[in-house]
Amino acid sequence: MIYNPEYECMEEKVRKKIQLASLKNLVETIYSKVPYYRKKFDEANIKPVNINNMEDIQKLPFTTKEDLRINYPHGLRACPNDRIVEVHMSTGTTGKPVVNEYTMKDLDIWRQVMARTLSGAGCTRDDIVQNCYGYGLFTGGAGVHYGSITIGAEVLPMSSGNTERQLMILRDFGSTMLTCTPSYALFLAEEAAEAGIDLKKLPINKGCFGAEAWSESMRKEIEERYDMKAYDIYGLTEIIGPGVAFECEMQNGLHVNEDLFYPEIIDPETGKVLPAGEKGELVFTTLTREGTPLLRYRTRDITCLIEEPCGCGRTTRRIHRLFGRTDDMLIIRGVNVFPSQIEQALIEIEGTEPQYLIIINRENHLDELELQVEVKKELFSDETRGLENLRNRIEQVMKSKLQIGLKVKLVEPKTIVRPEVGKVKRVIDNRKI
């Protein structure tokens, strides 16, 4: 279902005209109202009058997470204080949290893009949405909530955790759509199996999952366990929350709401803009935000732009599902390794569960990588030869894919911790570096 055909199916030339007008207005606003941006413009010898087409955006300075932390809490606010009606922020686990302040117009934008997002996954006013994203300062719960009620769907504001109650509500209220992190969706499925609940017999038939990286193998596992369609969604606190981009029924890339958020792909080392189809760092400009608009924000997410037409009828450009993050990259004995590479490599290995943990140690000045992988319950028996063959197989595949050797440890199902609240932890780096 297409929620807003006027904007989602707009002709490219019309969209570009709207984008340029929005960009010019944005640049003038932040130059006149945000001293930090004005200083960056002046240092780059750029004025608002220098922006005459969308290509000129490349002249403008980038914004980084460090810029947001330097300006905590209100340094990037671009409107009078009395126009701010809601505030969200990151957890701030690695320093000052990043703050996103919303005017009423910003909240309306958020409602609209989340309505597009949920509609892309097939949500209608006839659905019951069980929203297991966290509520509060985190954007996930509020974003899904706003989108659901904008569509007219019934929303159950469960928030995260309390799995026993989640399963009771899922069954008793006949929820038809689940929204949470993909790792929590799998955890919920495991707990349902333990409780003797057959998810395939429940009305639930679709879900929107995000807030952490997940692979095609996890998608297939979720779809199989629930007998549902599992859709990827993309967003980040700094831009607006969830709703920046979303999958449609084709499940072939995520449509960017690019009338509101302008995407670029850059070389993370040089900052040079890359052409469509080339992998690089994703950058977003919030074209219409009022509270805390951001210019060329470096997300650190690695992906590429897809310009080929989509079979759903939307004309917006898409981003490929994330390949990883520049700040998640591990350097092991001089080789660049992304956790997503390991997850993708596990897809082709039968007998494994979509749960793993990477542990890095430094022994005698050398990096040692251990990969703990959960295997299916039936493989843990008195027969050890099968487990040994599987371990050897995984080690061979990983060495071929990653170009480095690692030690594989096979563990029983449910050995690796699944958090009921928050994102799953995939890497433990014990090196003192």
Side-chain angles (χ1 to χ4, degrees), residues 349-353 374-376 379 390:
I349 304 173
E350 293 185 6
T352 63
E353 296 281 1
E374 289 190 8
V375 299
K376 294 191 179 300
L379 289 178
L390 178 59

Side-chain angles (χ1 to χ4, degrees), residues 415-428:
T415 299
I416 296 172
V417 175
R418 283 87 149 143
E420 289 194 56
V421 180
K423 302 179 183 181
V424 66
K425 187 176 182 65
R426 296 295 190 194
V427 180
I428 297 176

Side-chain angles (χ1 to χ4, degrees), residues 305-325:
L305 279 173
I306 303 170
E307 293 189 341
E308 290 77 19
C310 183
C312 72
R314 294 174 178 85
T315 57
T316 48
R317 288 180 293 175
R318 288 163 287 155
I319 54 173
H320 191 283
R321 295 189 74 194
L322 302 185
F323 297 107
R325 289 179 56 82

Side-chain angles (χ1 to χ4, degrees), residues 26 76-80 83-88 100-114 143 146 238-242 260-261 286-294:
L26 170 68
L76 295 180
R77 183 184 286 176
C79 67
R83 294 193 58 208
I84 300 298
V85 296
E86 189 164 322
V87 176
H88 288 275
N100 194 344
E101 302 180 292
Y102 300 74
T103 64
M104 284 301 296
K105 178 184 176 182
D106 292 333
L107 287 182
D108 186 58
I109 290 171
W110 200 10
R111 284 191 288 266
Q112 292 298 311
V113 296
M114 280 307 300
Y146 290 147
E238 297 89 331
I239 301 302
I240 201 164
L260 303 164
F261 315 115
T286 61
L287 294 173
T288 60
R289 288 294 311 278
E290 293 183 331
T292 46
L294 296 184

Side-chain angles (χ1 to χ4, degrees), residues 83-313:
R83 294 193 58 208
I84 300 298
V85 296
E86 189 164 322
V87 176
H88 288 275
M89 63 185 74
S90 70
T91 54
T93 55
T94 56
K96 291 285 188 181
V98 295
V99 177
N100 194 344
E101 302 180 292
Y102 300 74
T103 64
M104 284 301 296
K105 178 184 176 182
D106 292 333
L107 287 182
D108 186 58
I109 290 171
W110 200 10
R111 284 191 288 266
Q112 292 298 311
V113 296
M114 280 307 300
R116 298 182 196 179
T117 296
L118 297 173
S119 295
C123 183
T124 71
R125 63 184 303 106
D126 296 324
D127 277 295
I128 301 173
V129 180
Q130 185 153 332
N131 185 14
C132 306
Y133 284 113
Y135 280 69
L137 290 175
F138 177 61
T139 57
V144 171
H145 192 106
Y146 290 147
S148 299
I149 61 177
T150 299
I151 289 172
E154 178 181 338
V155 60
L156 302 172
M158 297 297 297
S159 196
S160 53
N162 202 337
T163 300
E164 185 177 348
R165 176 174 288 185
Q166 297 277 8
L167 291 173
M168 180 185 74
I169 298 299
L170 190 69
R171 180 188 56 207
D172 295 347
F173 279 72
S175 305
T176 58
M177 186 174 200
L178 179 67
T179 61
C180 59
T181 63
S183 58
Y184 187 66
L186 285 175
F187 177 74
L188 204 59
E190 291 170 348
E191 293 300 302
E194 289 286 332
I197 300 173
D198 187 349
L199 295 172
K200 294 182 179 181
K201 293 183 179 180
L202 300 184
I204 190 164
N205 55 43
K206 53 186 167 288
C208 278
F209 307 106
E212 63 187 20
W214 56 306
S215 66
E216 282 297 319
S217 64
M218 287 187 73
R219 187 210 295 272
K220 292 176 183 176
E221 188 79 14
I222 291 170
E223 291 187 336
E224 169 61 25
R225 293 193 181 192
Y226 286 84
D227 192 20
M228 66 151 65
K229 293 284 284 183
Y231 296 91
D232 198 358
I233 62 175
Y234 178 83
L236 57 168
T237 300
E238 297 89 331
I239 301 302
I240 201 164
V244 177
F246 62 92
E247 276 189 325
C248 65
E249 65 267 26
M250 307 304 292
Q251 294 181 310
N252 184 26
L254 291 86
H255 290 272
V256 178
N257 286 305
E258 58 175 324
D259 55 312
L260 303 164
F261 315 115
Y262 187 77
E264 300 173 88
I265 301 292
I266 65 168
D267 182 318
E269 298 296 328
T270 66
K272 179 183 177 182
V273 175
L274 300 175
E278 197 162 330
K279 190 187 301 184
E281 181 181 348
L282 181 60
V283 171
F284 273 113
T285 295
T286 61
L287 294 173
T288 60
R289 288 294 311 278
E290 293 183 331
T292 46
L294 296 184
L295 185 68
R296 304 192 80 195
Y297 180 72
R298 296 187 61 163
T299 68
R300 300 299 182 185
D301 291 320
I302 302 298
T303 185
C304 63
L305 279 173
I306 303 170
E307 293 189 341
E308 290 77 19
C310 183
C312 72

